[in-house]
Amino acid sequence: MTIRGARLNTYLFLLLGIALGSGCQSDKNQKKAPKKGYNLLRLHIEVNPDGADKSTLVSVGRHASFPVNITTAAFVDEGHLTKVSLFEDAVGGFKIMLQLNRQGAWLLEQYTVSNKGRRIVVSAELEGLRWVAAPLITKRITDGIFTFTPDATREESEKLVLGLNHTIKKLRSRNTFNDPEP
């Protein structure tokens, strides 16, 4: 049984061309991060109003908004993120999933343990800075993954995910002491 060199090279070049062609195709389909905005996300904890400068009253949501008193300082910000994803939920809507680095996971666990029954209020920069979600803390979150349904359109949410992932890459390239990628 003999294999001709020319035939083998032809098949090899065809396979190589297909592999390179499909790689270029996926790059064309990827969306780019927005040039402006969509790169901030902060998590605040609900607190009792105390009259001090450390808390403030915010209105969460656009249409059916409700007031929540929160700490002015965020306990998690975009510097604690390692990955942001948008995915479909079981009822046909969508959710945003935040994967946090080690420090962010510790903070999330600490705040969910000590504030059960309160809300984590999410602010994000979309067209402007908005309070987009306030899920109730029902259990301890130990895996560093925080999921919420934003009060935003799908297009705004997709832009936010792209913008945050772009910000994560920029922050990771500047930081020499970062966590390994998941």
Side-chain angles (χ1 to χ4, degrees):
M1 195 164 136
T2 61
I3 297 177
R4 303 233 181 240
R7 187 178 299 163
L8 179 64
N9 286 341
T10 304
Y11 291 133
L12 184 63
F13 284 123
L14 280 173
L15 286 173
L16 185 62
I18 291 170
L20 289 176
S22 64
C24 294
Q25 186 70 8
S26 65
D27 290 343
K28 291 177 186 175
N29 292 336
Q30 286 183 353
K31 295 181 181 179
K32 291 191 176 190
K35 298 274 187 213
K36 238 179 155 182
Y38 298 96
N39 59 356
L40 297 176
L41 185 125
R42 308 282 162 88
L43 301 183
H44 299 261
I45 197 73
E46 179 182 18
V47 294
N48 294 327
D50 61 0
D53 291 341
K54 295 182 180 182
S55 66
T56 186
L57 187 67
V58 298
S59 182
V60 179
R62 291 178 294 176
H63 304 296
S65 63
F66 57 95
V68 181
N69 199 57
I70 61 163
T71 57
T72 52
F75 69 94
V76 168
D77 62 19
E78 57 279 350
H80 294 107
L81 300 175
T82 58
K83 184 179 178 186
V84 181
S85 308
L86 183 73
F87 67 94
E88 303 291 324
D89 65 6
V91 293
F94 58 91
K95 292 186 178 208
I96 293 178
M97 182 181 74
L98 308 175
Q99 189 171 354
L100 305 175
N101 63 14
R102 187 176 305 137
Q103 182 184 16
W106 288 338
L107 288 167
L108 184 63
E109 181 176 9
Q110 177 185 0
Y111 277 85
T112 55
V113 166
S114 60
N115 293 290
K116 191 172 181 182
R118 294 188 178 198
R119 297 180 179 278
I120 294 176
V121 182
V122 182
S123 69
E125 183 180 30
L126 302 173
E127 294 295 323
L129 195 60
R130 279 199 343 231
W131 302 97
V132 296
L136 192 65
I137 301 169
T138 58
K139 62 182 179 172
R140 173 180 169 182
I141 301 174
T142 59
D143 59 0
I145 295 176
F146 180 69
T147 305
F148 65 94
T149 303
D151 183 17
T153 65
R154 178 177 286 284
E155 181 183 347
E156 288 174 327
S157 298
E158 287 172 352
K159 286 180 181 179
L160 179 63
V161 168
L162 287 170
L164 288 171
N165 282 322
H166 180 70
T167 300
I168 291 166
K169 284 182 184 176
K170 278 194 336 189
L171 290 174
R172 184 171 282 137
S173 68
R174 291 181 193 165
N175 186 0
T176 58
F177 300 109
N178 50 21
D179 287 340
E181 286 195 32

